[in-house]
Amino acid sequence: MNIGLEAVTKNDKKAFYLSGEIDMHSSPVLRKELMKLVDRKITPLIVDFGGVSYIDSSGIATFVEVLKSMMEYGGALRLTGIPDSVMEIFRFARLDSVFDIYESVDNAVAC
Amino acid sequence: MEKAIEVKGLVTHYGTREILKNVTFSIPRGMTTVILGGSGSGKSTLLRHIIGLLKPTKGNIFINERDITSLSEIEMIDVRKKMGVLFQGAALLNSLTVSDNVALPVTEHTKLQGSTIDIMVRMKLDLVGLSGSGGLYPSQLSGGMKKRAGIARAMALDPDLLFLDEPSAGLDPVTAAGLDELIVRLKKVFKITIVVVTHELPSIHIIADYAVMLNRGEIVFTGTMDELKMSDDPQIVSFLARRPPDDSLAPGDYLKTITGNS
Ligand SMILES: Nc1ncnc2c1ncn2[C@@H]1O[C@H](COP(=O)(O)OP(=O)(O)OP(=O)(O)O)[C@@H](O)[C@H]1O
Ligand SMILES: [Mg+2]
Protein backbone atom coordinates (compact mmCIF):
# COMPACT_ATOMS: atom_id res chain seq x y z
CA MET A 1 0.00 0.00 0.00
CA ASN A 2 1.13 3.53 -0.72
CA ILE A 3 0.94 4.83 2.85
CA GLY A 4 3.42 5.02 5.67
CA LEU A 5 3.03 5.32 9.44
CA GLU A 6 6.37 5.91 11.09
CA ALA A 7 6.70 5.98 14.88
CA VAL A 8 9.00 8.48 16.57
CA THR A 9 9.40 8.85 20.34
CA LYS A 10 9.58 12.39 21.70
CA ASN A 11 9.57 13.25 25.41
CA ASP A 12 8.38 9.71 26.23
CA LYS A 13 5.42 10.24 23.91
CA LYS A 14 4.92 8.43 20.64
CA ALA A 15 4.17 10.40 17.50
CA PHE A 16 3.20 8.74 14.24
CA TYR A 17 4.14 10.37 10.96
CA LEU A 18 1.51 9.49 8.40
CA SER A 19 2.38 9.74 4.71
CA GLY A 20 0.91 8.99 1.31
CA GLU A 21 -2.58 8.98 -0.13
CA ILE A 22 -5.34 8.02 2.24
CA ASP A 23 -8.09 6.79 -0.06
CA MET A 24 -10.67 4.03 -0.19
CA HIS A 25 -7.92 1.47 -0.91
CA SER A 26 -5.50 2.49 1.80
CA SER A 27 -7.99 3.45 4.52
CA PRO A 28 -8.66 -0.16 5.59
CA VAL A 29 -4.87 -0.68 6.00
CA LEU A 30 -4.53 2.53 7.99
CA ARG A 31 -7.51 1.54 10.14
CA LYS A 32 -5.87 -1.78 11.02
CA GLU A 33 -2.62 -0.07 12.02
CA LEU A 34 -4.35 2.60 14.10
CA MET A 35 -6.66 0.12 15.79
CA LYS A 36 -3.59 -1.87 16.94
CA LEU A 37 -2.47 1.28 18.76
CA VAL A 38 -5.95 1.84 20.14
CA ASP A 39 -5.99 -1.74 21.44
CA ARG A 40 -2.81 -0.93 23.36
CA LYS A 41 -4.70 2.06 24.79
CA ILE A 42 -1.94 4.45 23.77
CA THR A 43 -2.61 8.01 24.92
CA PRO A 44 -2.03 10.57 23.71
CA LEU A 45 -2.01 9.19 20.19
CA ILE A 46 -0.28 11.83 18.07
CA VAL A 47 -0.64 11.58 14.30
CA ASP A 48 1.16 14.01 12.00
CA PHE A 49 -0.37 14.72 8.58
CA GLY A 50 2.64 16.53 7.11
CA GLY A 51 3.32 13.76 4.59
CA VAL A 52 -0.29 13.21 3.59
CA SER A 53 -0.81 14.27 -0.03
CA TYR A 54 -4.49 13.39 -0.12
CA ILE A 55 -7.15 12.18 2.26
CA ASP A 56 -10.68 11.32 1.22
CA SER A 57 -13.84 10.79 3.24
CA SER A 58 -12.95 7.18 4.03
CA GLY A 59 -9.72 8.42 5.63
CA ILE A 60 -11.53 11.07 7.61
CA ALA A 61 -14.15 8.50 8.67
CA THR A 62 -11.32 6.22 9.83
CA PHE A 63 -10.03 8.93 12.17
CA VAL A 64 -13.56 9.56 13.47
CA GLU A 65 -13.77 5.83 14.23
CA VAL A 66 -10.41 5.85 15.99
CA LEU A 67 -11.45 8.87 18.06
CA LYS A 68 -14.70 7.14 19.01
CA SER A 69 -12.84 4.02 20.15
CA MET A 70 -10.32 6.06 22.12
CA MET A 71 -13.03 7.98 23.94
CA GLU A 72 -14.15 4.71 25.48
CA TYR A 73 -10.95 4.58 27.56
CA GLY A 74 -10.50 8.33 27.89
CA GLY A 75 -7.64 8.41 25.39
CA ALA A 76 -6.57 11.58 23.59
CA LEU A 77 -6.12 11.73 19.82
CA ARG A 78 -4.00 14.67 18.64
CA LEU A 79 -3.67 15.54 14.97
CA THR A 80 -0.83 17.75 13.76
CA GLY A 81 0.49 19.34 10.58
CA ILE A 82 -2.83 19.28 8.76
CA PRO A 83 -2.57 20.75 5.22
CA ASP A 84 -4.90 23.66 4.40
CA SER A 85 -6.87 21.66 1.84
CA VAL A 86 -7.63 18.99 4.44
CA MET A 87 -8.42 21.61 7.09
CA GLU A 88 -11.03 23.08 4.76
CA ILE A 89 -12.79 19.74 4.55
CA PHE A 90 -12.55 19.31 8.34
CA ARG A 91 -14.06 22.76 8.81
CA PHE A 92 -16.84 22.05 6.34
CA ALA A 93 -17.73 18.84 8.17
CA ARG A 94 -17.34 20.70 11.50
CA LEU A 95 -14.63 18.18 12.41
CA ASP A 96 -12.17 20.95 13.27
CA SER A 97 -13.95 21.20 16.61
CA VAL A 98 -14.23 17.43 17.04
CA PHE A 99 -10.55 16.64 16.61
CA ASP A 100 -7.84 17.97 18.88
CA ILE A 101 -5.64 19.81 16.36
CA TYR A 102 -2.10 21.09 16.92
CA GLU A 103 0.25 23.00 14.66
CA SER A 104 3.17 20.60 15.10
CA VAL A 105 4.20 17.40 16.82
CA ASP A 106 6.32 19.47 19.23
CA ASN A 107 3.23 21.40 20.30
CA ALA A 108 1.21 18.20 20.70
CA VAL A 109 3.95 16.60 22.78
CA ALA A 110 4.34 19.65 25.01
CA CYS A 111 0.91 19.35 26.65
CA MET B 1 -8.00 26.62 -18.61
CA GLU B 2 -7.40 22.96 -17.84
CA LYS B 3 -9.90 20.57 -19.40
CA ALA B 4 -11.67 17.92 -17.35
CA ILE B 5 -13.77 16.69 -20.26
CA GLU B 6 -13.27 17.02 -23.98
CA VAL B 7 -15.91 15.94 -26.50
CA LYS B 8 -14.80 15.73 -30.14
CA GLY B 9 -17.05 15.18 -33.15
CA LEU B 10 -19.68 13.29 -31.18
CA VAL B 11 -22.48 11.74 -33.26
CA THR B 12 -25.12 9.64 -31.52
CA HIS B 13 -28.27 7.79 -32.54
CA TYR B 14 -31.25 6.16 -30.93
CA GLY B 15 -32.03 3.54 -33.53
CA THR B 16 -31.72 5.33 -36.84
CA ARG B 17 -32.57 8.74 -35.41
CA GLU B 18 -29.59 11.06 -35.12
CA ILE B 19 -29.66 12.94 -31.81
CA LEU B 20 -26.27 14.59 -31.35
CA LYS B 21 -24.90 15.93 -34.62
CA ASN B 22 -21.12 16.30 -34.59
CA VAL B 23 -20.81 17.90 -31.18
CA THR B 24 -17.44 19.35 -30.08
CA PHE B 25 -16.71 21.22 -26.84
CA SER B 26 -14.76 20.97 -23.62
CA ILE B 27 -15.53 21.40 -19.93
CA PRO B 28 -13.05 23.18 -17.66
CA ARG B 29 -11.69 21.52 -14.52
CA GLY B 30 -12.68 22.72 -11.07
CA MET B 31 -15.58 24.81 -12.33
CA THR B 32 -19.32 24.41 -12.64
CA THR B 33 -20.51 24.09 -16.22
CA VAL B 34 -24.20 24.28 -17.11
CA ILE B 35 -25.60 22.45 -20.12
CA LEU B 36 -28.48 24.45 -21.52
CA GLY B 37 -30.99 23.78 -24.24
CA GLY B 38 -34.65 23.16 -24.91
CA SER B 39 -36.50 19.99 -24.06
CA GLY B 40 -35.42 17.20 -26.39
CA SER B 41 -32.27 18.97 -27.54
CA GLY B 42 -30.14 16.05 -26.34
CA LYS B 43 -28.80 17.19 -22.95
CA SER B 44 -29.51 13.96 -21.07
CA THR B 45 -28.30 11.96 -24.05
CA LEU B 46 -25.04 13.89 -23.97
CA LEU B 47 -24.69 13.20 -20.24
CA ARG B 48 -25.30 9.47 -20.74
CA HIS B 49 -22.46 9.38 -23.26
CA ILE B 50 -20.07 11.35 -21.06
CA ILE B 51 -20.59 8.94 -18.18
CA GLY B 52 -20.10 6.03 -20.55
CA LEU B 53 -23.56 4.52 -20.30
CA LEU B 54 -24.00 4.76 -24.06
CA LYS B 55 -21.46 4.30 -26.86
CA PRO B 56 -21.50 6.93 -29.62
CA THR B 57 -21.81 6.25 -33.34
CA LYS B 58 -18.78 8.45 -33.94
CA GLY B 59 -16.42 10.75 -32.06
CA ASN B 60 -14.34 10.76 -28.90
CA ILE B 61 -14.89 11.67 -25.27
CA PHE B 62 -11.83 12.38 -23.17
CA ILE B 63 -12.23 12.26 -19.40
CA ASN B 64 -9.06 13.45 -17.72
CA GLU B 65 -7.33 12.94 -21.06
CA ARG B 66 -8.43 9.31 -21.41
CA ASP B 67 -10.67 8.43 -24.35
CA ILE B 68 -13.56 6.54 -22.77
CA THR B 69 -15.17 5.59 -26.07
CA SER B 70 -12.53 2.90 -26.56
CA LEU B 71 -12.59 1.50 -23.02
CA SER B 72 -13.98 -1.91 -22.15
CA GLU B 73 -16.83 -2.19 -19.65
CA ILE B 74 -14.32 -3.30 -16.99
CA GLU B 75 -11.94 -0.38 -17.63
CA MET B 76 -14.96 1.91 -17.55
CA ILE B 77 -15.80 0.84 -13.98
CA ASP B 78 -12.61 2.51 -12.72
CA VAL B 79 -13.39 5.75 -14.57
CA ARG B 80 -16.97 5.73 -13.33
CA LYS B 81 -15.88 5.42 -9.68
CA LYS B 82 -14.54 8.96 -9.95
CA MET B 83 -17.84 10.23 -11.37
CA GLY B 84 -20.91 10.97 -9.30
CA VAL B 85 -24.26 11.21 -11.05
CA LEU B 86 -27.66 12.52 -10.04
CA PHE B 87 -30.01 11.29 -12.73
CA GLN B 88 -33.06 13.24 -13.81
CA GLY B 89 -35.64 12.16 -11.19
CA ALA B 90 -33.02 11.16 -8.55
CA ALA B 91 -33.44 7.37 -9.11
CA LEU B 92 -33.07 6.22 -5.51
CA LEU B 93 -33.81 2.59 -4.73
CA ASN B 94 -37.20 2.61 -3.04
CA SER B 95 -36.65 -0.60 -1.11
CA LEU B 96 -33.60 0.82 0.70
CA THR B 97 -33.35 3.52 3.36
CA VAL B 98 -31.64 6.78 2.48
CA SER B 99 -28.51 5.63 4.36
CA ASP B 100 -28.39 2.34 2.50
CA ASN B 101 -28.86 4.13 -0.81
CA VAL B 102 -25.82 6.29 -0.02
CA ALA B 103 -23.80 3.32 1.28
CA LEU B 104 -24.49 1.16 -1.76
CA PRO B 105 -21.75 2.48 -4.10
CA VAL B 106 -19.25 2.25 -1.24
CA THR B 107 -20.07 -1.34 -0.29
CA GLU B 108 -20.07 -2.25 -3.97
CA HIS B 109 -16.70 -0.73 -4.85
CA THR B 110 -14.54 -0.84 -1.71
CA LYS B 111 -13.39 -3.19 1.03
CA LEU B 112 -14.07 -0.67 3.79
CA GLN B 113 -15.47 -1.89 7.12
CA GLY B 114 -19.19 -1.43 7.71
CA SER B 115 -18.40 0.76 10.72
CA THR B 116 -16.27 3.08 8.56
CA ILE B 117 -18.95 3.20 5.86
CA ASP B 118 -21.57 4.13 8.50
CA ILE B 119 -19.53 7.20 9.43
CA MET B 120 -18.92 8.10 5.78
CA VAL B 121 -22.65 7.91 5.09
CA ARG B 122 -23.41 10.16 8.06
CA MET B 123 -20.82 12.64 6.80
CA LYS B 124 -22.38 12.66 3.32
CA LEU B 125 -25.88 13.11 4.69
CA ASP B 126 -24.66 15.98 6.84
CA LEU B 127 -22.96 17.47 3.79
CA VAL B 128 -26.28 17.71 1.93
CA GLY B 129 -28.30 18.77 4.98
CA LEU B 130 -30.02 15.43 5.61
CA SER B 131 -28.57 14.57 9.03
CA GLY B 132 -31.12 12.50 10.87
CA SER B 133 -33.02 11.40 7.75
CA GLY B 134 -30.88 8.35 7.02
CA GLY B 135 -33.48 5.93 8.34
CA LEU B 136 -36.24 7.18 6.05
CA TYR B 137 -37.27 5.52 2.81
CA PRO B 138 -37.32 7.50 -0.47
CA SER B 139 -41.15 7.51 -0.46
CA GLN B 140 -41.02 9.42 2.83
CA LEU B 141 -38.93 12.26 1.39
CA SER B 142 -40.01 15.55 -0.19
CA GLY B 143 -38.84 16.36 -3.71
CA GLY B 144 -36.00 18.54 -2.45
CA MET B 145 -34.89 15.91 0.08
CA LYS B 146 -34.86 13.26 -2.66
CA LYS B 147 -32.51 15.42 -4.72
CA ARG B 148 -30.28 15.95 -1.70
CA ALA B 149 -30.22 12.22 -1.00
CA GLY B 150 -29.35 11.62 -4.65
CA ILE B 151 -26.48 14.12 -4.37
CA ALA B 152 -25.25 12.40 -1.19
CA ARG B 153 -25.22 9.12 -3.08
CA ALA B 154 -23.47 10.73 -6.06
CA MET B 155 -20.81 12.03 -3.62
CA ALA B 156 -20.42 8.66 -1.88
CA LEU B 157 -17.13 7.71 -3.53
CA ASP B 158 -15.64 11.24 -3.41
CA PRO B 159 -15.89 11.83 -7.15
CA ASP B 160 -13.83 14.46 -8.90
CA LEU B 161 -16.59 14.87 -11.48
CA LEU B 162 -20.17 15.45 -10.39
CA PHE B 163 -23.05 15.36 -12.91
CA LEU B 164 -26.47 16.67 -12.00
CA ASP B 165 -29.34 16.31 -14.47
CA GLU B 166 -31.93 19.00 -13.70
CA PRO B 167 -31.43 19.01 -9.92
CA SER B 168 -33.96 21.75 -9.28
CA ALA B 169 -36.68 20.78 -11.77
CA GLY B 170 -40.10 20.71 -10.13
CA LEU B 171 -38.94 22.28 -6.87
CA ASP B 172 -40.26 25.48 -5.31
CA PRO B 173 -37.92 28.49 -5.64
CA VAL B 174 -36.73 28.41 -2.03
CA THR B 175 -35.89 24.69 -2.14
CA ALA B 176 -34.20 25.20 -5.51
CA ALA B 177 -32.12 28.05 -4.09
CA GLY B 178 -31.02 25.77 -1.25
CA LEU B 179 -29.77 23.23 -3.78
CA ASP B 180 -27.89 25.96 -5.67
CA GLU B 181 -26.16 26.93 -2.47
CA LEU B 182 -25.18 23.31 -1.89
CA ILE B 183 -23.73 23.04 -5.42
CA VAL B 184 -21.66 26.18 -4.88
CA ARG B 185 -20.31 24.84 -1.57
CA LEU B 186 -19.45 21.43 -3.02
CA LYS B 187 -17.32 23.07 -5.69
CA LYS B 188 -15.62 25.38 -3.24
CA VAL B 189 -14.80 22.82 -0.57
CA PHE B 190 -13.97 19.78 -2.70
CA LYS B 191 -12.60 21.61 -5.76
CA ILE B 192 -14.48 19.21 -8.01
CA THR B 193 -15.70 19.68 -11.56
CA ILE B 194 -19.48 19.95 -11.67
CA VAL B 195 -21.70 19.60 -14.73
CA VAL B 196 -25.33 20.62 -14.34
CA VAL B 197 -28.13 20.25 -16.87
CA THR B 198 -30.63 22.96 -16.05
CA HIS B 199 -33.25 25.32 -17.41
CA GLU B 200 -33.52 27.45 -14.31
CA LEU B 201 -32.24 30.94 -15.04
CA PRO B 202 -31.87 32.07 -11.40
CA SER B 203 -29.90 28.90 -10.72
CA ILE B 204 -27.60 29.41 -13.70
CA HIS B 205 -26.62 32.86 -12.51
CA ILE B 206 -25.68 31.51 -9.08
CA ILE B 207 -23.92 28.25 -9.85
CA ALA B 208 -22.39 28.54 -13.33
CA ASP B 209 -18.87 29.53 -14.34
CA TYR B 210 -19.16 28.12 -17.83
CA ALA B 211 -21.99 27.24 -20.22
CA VAL B 212 -22.61 24.87 -23.11
CA MET B 213 -25.83 25.35 -25.07
CA LEU B 214 -27.43 22.73 -27.30
CA ASN B 215 -30.16 23.18 -29.86
CA ARG B 216 -31.61 20.15 -31.64
CA GLY B 217 -28.43 18.17 -31.18
CA GLU B 218 -26.02 20.92 -32.14
CA ILE B 219 -23.81 23.18 -30.05
CA VAL B 220 -24.88 26.81 -30.33
CA PHE B 221 -22.65 28.22 -27.59
CA THR B 222 -19.72 27.37 -25.34
CA GLY B 223 -17.99 29.90 -23.13
CA THR B 224 -17.93 31.66 -19.81
CA MET B 225 -21.04 33.10 -18.19
CA ASP B 226 -19.83 36.60 -19.03
CA GLU B 227 -19.52 35.63 -22.68
CA LEU B 228 -23.00 34.10 -22.55
CA LYS B 229 -24.51 37.30 -21.15
CA MET B 230 -22.77 39.40 -23.80
CA SER B 231 -23.77 37.18 -26.71
CA ASP B 232 -26.02 38.68 -29.36
CA ASP B 233 -27.04 35.30 -30.77
CA PRO B 234 -30.88 35.53 -30.97
CA GLN B 235 -31.35 32.05 -29.41
CA ILE B 236 -29.24 32.99 -26.41
CA VAL B 237 -30.81 36.40 -26.05
CA SER B 238 -34.30 34.89 -26.03
CA PHE B 239 -33.24 32.17 -23.60
CA LEU B 240 -31.79 34.70 -21.15
CA ALA B 241 -34.86 36.94 -21.58
CA ARG B 242 -37.18 33.91 -21.11
CA ARG B 243 -38.78 34.50 -24.52
CA PRO B 244 -39.77 31.65 -26.79
CA PRO B 245 -37.61 31.63 -29.91
CA ASP B 246 -39.23 33.06 -33.02
CA ASP B 247 -40.02 30.00 -35.09
CA SER B 248 -43.34 31.15 -36.47
CA LEU B 249 -43.98 29.74 -39.91
CA ALA B 250 -44.70 31.57 -43.10
CA PRO B 251 -48.47 31.32 -43.94
CA GLY B 252 -47.81 28.89 -46.79
CA ASP B 253 -45.76 26.61 -44.54
CA TYR B 254 -48.44 26.77 -41.86
CA LEU B 255 -51.05 25.58 -44.35
CA LYS B 256 -48.80 22.68 -45.28
CA THR B 257 -48.35 21.83 -41.61
CA ILE B 258 -52.06 21.59 -40.85
CA THR B 259 -53.11 19.97 -44.08
CA GLY B 260 -50.25 17.50 -43.96
CA ASN B 261 -49.24 18.21 -47.55
CA SER B 262 -45.53 18.69 -47.69
N1 LIG C 1 -33.94 5.89 -24.72
C1 LIG C 1 -34.35 6.57 -25.81
N2 LIG C 1 -34.74 5.94 -26.93
C2 LIG C 1 -35.15 6.63 -28.03
N3 LIG C 1 -35.18 7.98 -28.11
C3 LIG C 1 -34.79 8.67 -27.02
C4 LIG C 1 -34.36 8.01 -25.81
N4 LIG C 1 -34.04 8.95 -24.91
C5 LIG C 1 -34.25 10.14 -25.50
N5 LIG C 1 -34.71 9.97 -26.77
C6 LIG C 1 -35.00 11.07 -27.73
O1 LIG C 1 -33.80 11.79 -27.96
C7 LIG C 1 -34.02 13.18 -28.00
C8 LIG C 1 -33.15 13.86 -26.95
O2 LIG C 1 -33.57 13.44 -25.67
P1 LIG C 1 -32.87 13.89 -24.31
O3 LIG C 1 -33.51 13.13 -23.24
O4 LIG C 1 -31.41 13.79 -24.47
O5 LIG C 1 -33.30 15.43 -24.28
P2 LIG C 1 -33.11 16.52 -23.14
O6 LIG C 1 -32.42 17.65 -23.77
O7 LIG C 1 -32.49 15.90 -21.95
O8 LIG C 1 -34.62 16.93 -22.82
P3 LIG C 1 -35.33 17.32 -21.41
O9 LIG C 1 -34.96 18.75 -21.15
O10 LIG C 1 -36.79 17.19 -21.71
O11 LIG C 1 -34.85 16.40 -20.35
C9 LIG C 1 -35.51 13.38 -27.75
O12 LIG C 1 -36.13 13.60 -28.98
C10 LIG C 1 -35.97 12.08 -27.15
O13 LIG C 1 -37.27 11.79 -27.53
MG1 LIG D 1 -33.08 15.53 -19.98
Side-chain angles (χ1 to χ4, degrees):
Chain A
M1 280 295 156
N2 50 348
I3 56 164
L5 193 65
E6 195 192 334
V8 172
T9 307
K10 274 192 184 181
N11 295 359
D12 285 343
K13 286 173 186 151
K14 272 218 163 86
F16 295 85
Y17 287 82
L18 181 60
S19 61
E21 280 186 24
I22 318 300
D23 59 16
M24 311 231 176
H25 289 290
S26 54
S27 282
V29 182
L30 174 65
R31 182 182 183 276
K32 227 166 120 190
E33 291 307 311
L34 291 173
M35 284 304 179
K36 276 187 211 160
L37 302 171
V38 170
D39 286 343
R40 283 160 50 198
K41 297 200 174 16
I42 286 184
T43 188
L45 175 55
I46 301 168
V47 182
D48 183 80
F49 277 62
V52 175
S53 51
Y54 173 80
I55 183 165
D56 70 5
S57 61
S58 70
I60 295 172
T62 299
F63 277 97
V64 172
E65 238 190 308
V66 167
L67 176 66
K68 203 174 135 203
S69 310
M70 290 184 74
M71 279 159 64
E72 283 164 22
Y73 61 88
L77 174 65
R78 294 177 186 164
L79 307 182
T80 68
I82 298 181
D84 288 345
S85 55
V86 176
M87 242 348 251
E88 197 164 350
I89 295 171
F90 277 11
R91 246 179 253 125
F92 184 73
R94 295 187 299 272
L95 288 170
D96 55 329
S97 56
V98 171
F99 291 126
D100 209 3
I101 295 171
Y102 295 79
E103 196 128 325
S104 66
V105 170
D106 287 334
N107 290 351
V109 165
C111 2
Chain B
M1 194 159 66
E2 208 186 320
K3 293 167 187 167
I5 300 170
E6 201 175 357
V7 174
K8 280 187 178 165
L10 190 70
V11 177
T12 76
H13 290 82
Y14 287 120
T16 56
R17 201 167 139 228
E18 190 178 55
I19 305 295
L20 297 175
K21 302 161 186 172
N22 194 18
V23 163
T24 298
F25 66 94
S26 50
I27 288 179
R29 185 184 304 287
M31 294 191 191
T32 298
T33 295
V34 285
I35 298 183
L36 311 172
S39 205
S41 59
K43 304 180 298 293
S44 296
T45 303
L46 178 60
L47 219 53
R48 276 182 223 127
H49 281 87
I50 294 176
I51 60 178
L53 283 182
L54 297 176
K55 289 271 182 230
T57 315
K58 239 169 77 183
N60 309 90
I61 299 167
F62 298 89
I63 306 279
N64 299 329
E65 282 162 16
R66 200 160 171 213
D67 186 357
I68 62 158
T69 58
S70 55
L71 296 185
S72 68
E73 199 42 46
I74 290 173
E75 293 170 311
M76 197 56 218
I77 291 173
D78 258 356
V79 179
R80 221 177 270 139
K81 272 190 224 166
K82 288 278 122 194
M83 298 177 167
V85 189
L86 173 72
F87 289 101
Q88 206 167 351
L92 298 164
L93 294 175
N94 287 317
S95 58
L96 298 181
T97 62
V98 169
S99 288
D100 289 343
N101 265 285
V102 177
L104 195 62
V106 190
T107 37
E108 235 169 49
H109 291 292
T110 74
K111 296 191 168 66
L112 291 163
Q113 294 278 326
S115 52
T116 311
I117 296 175
D118 276 354
I119 294 170
M120 284 171 70
V121 168
R122 282 172 209 272
M123 282 167 53
K124 303 293 169 176
L125 290 177
D126 182 61
L127 180 74
V128 300
L130 283 185
S131 289
S133 303
L136 300 178
Y137 286 87
S139 61
Q140 298 171 300
L141 303 180
S142 70
M145 289 166 87
K146 270 186 196 152
K147 296 296 171 88
R148 283 174 186 271
I151 293 174
R153 186 184 55 186
M155 290 294 291
L157 289 169
D158 294 345
D160 43 43
L161 283 166
L162 179 65
F163 299 96
L164 309 172
D165 196 350
E166 303 208 23
S168 44
L171 302 178
D172 68 77
V174 175
T175 307
L179 275 181
D180 290 341
E181 195 184 303
L182 173 61
I183 293 168
V184 169
R185 282 163 73 203
L186 289 178
K187 184 190 75 174
K188 188 169 161 276
V189 175
F190 298 99
K191 319 265 182 299
I192 53 180
T193 303
I194 303 181
V195 180
V196 186
V197 173
T198 180
H199 296 282
E200 316 285 324
L201 267 184
S203 166
I204 292 163
H205 291 300
I206 289 168
I207 63 173
D209 304 303
Y210 201 80
V212 173
M213 192 164 176
L214 278 176
N215 184 31
R216 295 169 204 218
E218 285 176 289
I219 297 282
V220 291
F221 175 86
T222 60
T224 64
M225 279 306 288
D226 287 335
E227 287 164 348
L228 185 79
K229 286 174 204 161
M230 284 185 316
S231 166
D232 50 16
D233 181 309
Q235 288 176 74
I236 293 165
V237 172
S238 40
F239 173 77
L240 292 177
R242 290 169 159 276
R243 269 198 314 258
D246 182 18
D247 52 23
S248 52
L249 298 169
D253 291 338
Y254 178 62
L255 185 63
K256 277 184 206 157
T257 303
I258 56 174
T259 56
N261 293 325
S262 51

